Amino acid sequence: MATVHLRAVSKSYASGASGTTRAVESVDLAIADGEFVVLVGPSGCGKSTTLRMIAGLEDVSGGTISIGECVVNDVAPKDRDIAMVFQNYALYPHLNVRQNLSFGLERRRAFKSCWRGLFDSAYRSKRAGERAAITARVEAAARTLGIEQLLHRQPRELSGGQRQRVAVGRALVRDPAVFLFDEPLSNLDALLRTEMRTELRILHRRLRATMVYVTHDQEEAMSLADRIVVMKDGVVQQVGSPAEIYGRPSNRFVAGFIGTPPMNMIDGTITLDADSTLTFRSACCTLTLPPGRFDLDGLSRGHERPVTLGIRPERLSPAVGESNVSAHANVTGRVVAVERYGASADVVLSASGIRLIARASQECTTQIREGENATMTVDVNAAHLFDSHTGCALARAIRAPNR
Ligand code: ADP
């Protein structure tokens, strides 16, 4: 196992007459030994390029990449002690599962073999020992992944999930310092993806291996990662645990990208009144906010500042009809849709042209009807504020607890 350290890593591609495409911009990232880090972001944000640079499949245009103590910028992929699992499995179609699993190890062994084996019996028995060790490793990996009964099958005789297990097994037998995963579950159906996610998490706990994983699926990132790296346009937006990224997004992009349904965003202004009341005003609501939660950086009393207020769907409580109770925490509007999922339901409200989604339990929404009025109570203690111009969160830094 090993650490992986990216220092100011950039990648540019030449792109026709227009010059260069900047795919990755000055990424700094220290991945700890045994950590499971997930790079996530929309298509084209530079996550695969970053992973491929760690693997050595792309040259870096600037910066350094270290695996363990060693800077690997000029080290060939096969010498980096990494194993990569791809979305398309990349199995050899003419080899059975056992041969697919042992192929890389056999090739290294064969490379070392030579005519010497014909004459030297001690050498021959050493080679036989190596072959037995490979068999043991293949069978151990097959047991770990629950594919022992498939060892004789060809890839075409396997389901998508079984093929992906074999692809993971091929990485496993190599016992690399770092596992790299490039969208490995994207070809699987939703149910299988969820199952495989759990299996990968269990595998990571068992191996305590360093794993770097790329996905565009924020839910996958949240469920797998020790730490998430959110990227956009080649730039890292935030690095943190799933709870930090969800609970304290650093900007409006991260807030909107992580979470399903996405965070509700309401454009408006805030004012700090003479009595220190912080008031948010928008087309659809006026809310009294707890001022202590926000970094208002020079907001003087009586002055307005344009902001976006963000509120997670589960922090809105829908109720039938119009209500004036605690009016400074309410939004009233017309219900345009109620989507029921069994245990929970999403209520979509239109208030002065602004759409808000609330997620609530089925019991709390049974009375709510499409086309009728409803009120959503905003949990103002869970509201986020973002600067209208920069999109940066106006959250007050949490003080580290005294040790
Ligand atoms: P992601 O994995 O987040 O979808 P990529 O890392 O594949 O994104 O791509 C990042 C950017 O780099 C995109 O704009 C993409 O078009 C560009 N890019 C990727 N590979 C190449 C290439 N070989 N040549 C030119 N541009 C590329």
Side-chain angles (χ1 to χ4, degrees):
M1 302 310 130
T3 56
V4 178
H5 210 146
L6 280 66
R7 294 179 181 85
V9 170
S10 300
K11 176 72 185 177
S12 301
Y13 291 106
S15 57
S18 62
T20 56
T21 303
R22 199 99 163 126
V24 175
E25 292 235 23
S26 200
V27 170
D28 287 304
L29 182 63
I31 299 171
D33 193 6
E35 197 177 18
F36 198 143
V37 166
V38 178
L39 310 182
V40 69
S43 180
C45 72
K47 53 195 185 296
S48 293
T49 304
T50 305
L51 193 78
R52 290 170 65 81
M53 286 192 285
I54 298 171
L57 302 174
E58 297 281 358
D59 293 333
V60 305
S61 308
T64 58
I65 298 178
S66 310
I67 297 179
E69 297 300 308
C70 178
V71 173
V72 294
N73 285 36
D74 299 319
V75 176
K78 68 177 176 44
D79 298 324
R80 290 194 182 194
D81 201 6
I82 49 115
M84 191 146 166
V85 180
F86 297 92
Q87 177 179 352
N88 61 6
Y89 319 129
L91 302 181
Y92 299 108
H94 56 291
L95 302 182
N96 68 22
V97 169
R98 181 185 287 280
Q99 291 162 331
N100 262 287
L101 292 177
S102 63
F103 184 80
L105 302 175
E106 290 285 0
R107 207 169 54 164
R108 278 168 192 232
R109 198 180 70 89
F111 188 68
K112 288 194 265 171
S113 296
C114 59
W115 55 267
R116 209 175 132 195
L118 293 174
F119 308 106
D120 183 336
S121 65
Y123 187 79
R124 272 205 307 276
S125 80
K126 183 172 166 234
R127 287 285 173 231
E130 284 175 0
R131 186 173 297 143
I134 289 176
T135 304
R137 263 159 91 167
V138 165
E139 287 175 2
R143 261 197 313 281
T144 300
L145 295 163
I147 52 172
E148 304 120 293
Q149 74 289 3
L150 305 176
L151 285 170
H152 62 282
R153 289 211 200 156
Q154 302 290 123
R156 66 172 180 279
E157 298 168 325
L158 303 176
S159 69
Q162 290 167 335
R163 279 181 213 179
Q164 195 47 272
R165 276 198 185 86
V166 178
V168 173
R170 223 166 43 169
L172 207 59
V173 293
R174 295 193 39 206
D175 191 21
V178 182
F179 286 83
L180 304 176
F181 295 92
D182 192 359
E183 304 245 11
L185 307 185
S186 297
N187 283 347
L188 306 179
D189 64 50
L191 186 63
L192 205 50
R193 242 181 11 236
T194 315
E195 275 175 30
M196 284 296 286
R197 248 163 36 192
T198 309
E199 287 184 26
L200 281 177
R201 193 73 210 148
I202 292 168
L203 188 67
H204 175 253
R205 208 170 50 232
R206 192 184 298 176
L207 299 177
R208 277 282 134 221
T210 310
M211 295 185 170
V212 189
Y213 187 107
V214 158
T215 180
H216 63 276
D217 180 341
Q218 54 87 27
E219 212 173 280
E220 199 164 291
M222 293 290 281
S223 67
L224 282 172
D226 292 329
R227 261 187 327 151
I228 295 178
V229 179
V230 185
M231 295 183 72
K232 177 181 175 249
D233 299 336
V235 177
V236 172
Q237 305 291 309
Q238 189 171 1
V239 181
S241 69
E244 282 164 354
I245 299 266
Y246 190 79
R248 296 179 64 79
S250 63
N251 60 36
R252 193 181 156 146
F253 171 79
V254 175
F257 187 75
I258 301 287
T260 316
M263 186 185 279
N264 296 290
M265 299 289 180
I266 310 171
D267 291 326
T269 58
I270 44 164
T271 328
L272 192 59
D273 299 325
D275 61 354
S276 292
T277 308
L278 184 66
T279 308
F280 172 78
R281 291 184 179 83
S282 73
C284 69
C285 59
T286 298
L287 305 172
T288 302
L289 302 179
R293 292 191 63 233
F294 303 106
D295 178 3
L296 299 172
D297 193 23
L299 177 70
S300 40
R301 287 176 203 275
H303 280 90
E304 269 187 4
R305 177 171 178 173
V307 294
T308 301
L309 181 136
I311 187 81
R312 296 266 179 216
E314 67 274 19
R315 301 299 193 153
L316 290 175
S317 308
V320 174
E322 296 182 17
S323 159
N324 279 323
V325 181
S326 64
H328 278 199
N330 284 349
V331 187
T332 296
R334 186 164 294 268
V335 177
V336 290
V338 182
E339 294 160 9
R340 301 193 184 277
Y341 300 106
S344 66
D346 289 348
V347 177
V348 185
L349 190 84
S350 177
S352 306
I354 296 167
R355 284 217 167 162
L356 299 173
I357 301 183
R359 175 159 285 186
S361 68
Q362 197 65 260
E363 299 81 65
C364 294
T365 57
T366 45
Q367 305 293 318
I368 295 175
R369 305 264 176 277
E370 292 175 351
E372 295 182 1
N373 282 353
T375 297
M376 289 185 177
T377 304
V378 180
D379 178 354
V380 289
N381 288 309
H384 302 257
L385 290 180
F386 304 100
D387 184 274
S388 285
H389 304 298
T390 63
C392 289
L394 302 175
R396 179 158 285 176
I398 295 176
R399 247 189 238 127
N402 292 330
R403 285 169 193 264

